[in-house]
Amino acid sequence: MTTNASQRVLIAPSILAADFRRLGEQVSECLAAGIRRIHVDVMDGHFVPNISMGPLVVEALRPLAQNAGAVLEVHLMIDEPDRYLAEFSRAGATAMTVHFEACPHIHRTVHNIRALNAQPGVGLNPATPLMMLDDILPDIDVALLMSVDPGFGGQKFIAATVDKVARLRAILVRRGLDRVEIEVDGGVGEANITELARAGMTIAVPGTSVFNDRKSVTESIRVLRTACAAVAPCE
Ligand code: DX5
Ligand code: ZN
């Protein structure tokens, strides 16, 4: 199995789990802790059962992210995402991930994101096979593997994702596409971040394991970094 011990891991906290009354404060706490990628979950009530947030939230966070030189990443769990790409870009999104399952013309969608000067990403639901990424891999910056069925925070991590990450890392290495980030989203926390990093994940998206009542945001990030640092430098 190909390992990825030398590649750094970025922690990209999902603000879905944040306390929305104190959203700016909590994002600032992440940035002060050195986080350089903020994950914004956009849900439309069609592609996924839940409804969450849109460009207004991205716009509100933009100055914070810009000041820190951080990437604002939107995870678009929406049907027909092409209709909203320009608006998210205007609002300040610098990385945009769409779902394979929501995009019949994914090549066009990815190139539309690239044309907006944002990092294009494609996401797969847990039961969607890796081969669906085969032909689009050279065109993307981020491959997002969902480790829960998308729609809600706080769900249980699907353990089979670790093997899926390792298989994707092996494919990327074999094809000379190792620059593509492997992002894992859903139920990521202290219990699985180490094995995910070992398998080849380069972006972790923890929601409830960063924003919760048990620890401060700063302490939660420190715990995740410590767990991850056993196998890879973690930012
Ligand atoms: C799920 C979202 C996630 C998720 C992460 O649809 O894409 O980003 O809420 O949160 P936790 O870590 O709580 O699963
Ligand atoms: Zn997400």
Side-chain angles (χ1 to χ4, degrees):
M1 185 60 64
T2 311
T3 61
N4 187 46
S6 59
Q7 264 181 284
R8 63 88 184 96
V9 172
L10 292 180
I11 293 179
S14 159
I15 62 164
L16 188 64
D19 176 352
F20 281 12
R21 282 169 306 180
R22 304 190 292 126
L23 183 59
E25 207 179 293
Q26 293 203 321
V27 168
S28 295
E29 194 175 345
C30 289
L31 296 168
I35 293 298
R36 288 298 172 265
R37 195 172 183 103
I38 301 290
H39 183 94
V40 181
D41 285 310
V42 179
M43 304 179 181
D44 66 352
H46 289 273
F47 178 66
V48 290
N50 203 359
I51 297 175
S52 59
M53 51 201 136
L56 279 178
V57 173
V58 174
E59 202 176 336
L61 296 179
R62 176 186 213 157
L64 298 178
Q66 264 181 354
N67 281 344
V71 170
L72 257 182
E73 152 181 282
V74 289
H75 175 193
L76 299 173
M77 288 165 277
I78 63 177
D79 286 333
E80 298 184 63
D82 296 77
R83 297 197 292 150
Y84 296 99
L85 298 177
E87 204 175 328
F88 277 108
S89 171
R90 270 196 303 276
T94 48
M96 303 192 210
T97 293
V98 294
H99 266 262
F100 169 80
E101 301 85 354
C103 299
H105 308 288
I106 194 103
H107 180 273
R108 176 182 293 142
T109 305
V110 161
H111 284 274
N112 286 341
I113 296 172
R114 185 76 76 192
L116 292 164
N117 274 323
Q119 299 172 11
V122 172
L124 297 184
N125 284 338
T128 304
L130 273 183
M131 64 179 287
M132 298 311 183
L133 289 177
D134 274 0
D135 293 341
I136 199 68
L137 277 179
D139 298 320
I140 61 178
D141 290 351
V142 178
L144 170 65
L145 301 183
M146 289 306 303
S147 38
V148 298
D149 287 295
F152 303 94
Q155 300 184 82
K156 189 178 177 311
F157 179 76
I158 298 171
T161 312
V162 178
D163 181 62
K164 202 172 182 181
V165 169
R167 285 183 288 123
L168 178 55
R169 179 55 61 195
I171 291 167
L172 293 175
V173 170
R174 194 173 61 239
R175 294 180 57 184
L177 292 171
D178 223 15
R179 58 161 191 85
V180 175
E181 305 273 2
I182 301 180
E183 180 169 35
V184 181
D185 186 2
V188 175
E190 192 185 357
N192 49 37
I193 194 167
T194 317
E195 54 177 345
L196 285 166
R198 191 180 292 120
M201 170 188 72
T202 54
I203 303 177
V205 181
T208 44
S209 60
V210 166
F211 304 105
N212 56 65
D213 296 336
R214 301 182 301 277
K215 292 189 198 80
S216 70
V217 167
T218 309
E219 175 61 8
S220 297
I221 291 168
R222 194 194 61 76
V223 167
L224 291 173
R225 279 191 180 134
T226 305
C228 188
V231 292
C234 185
E235 294 163 24

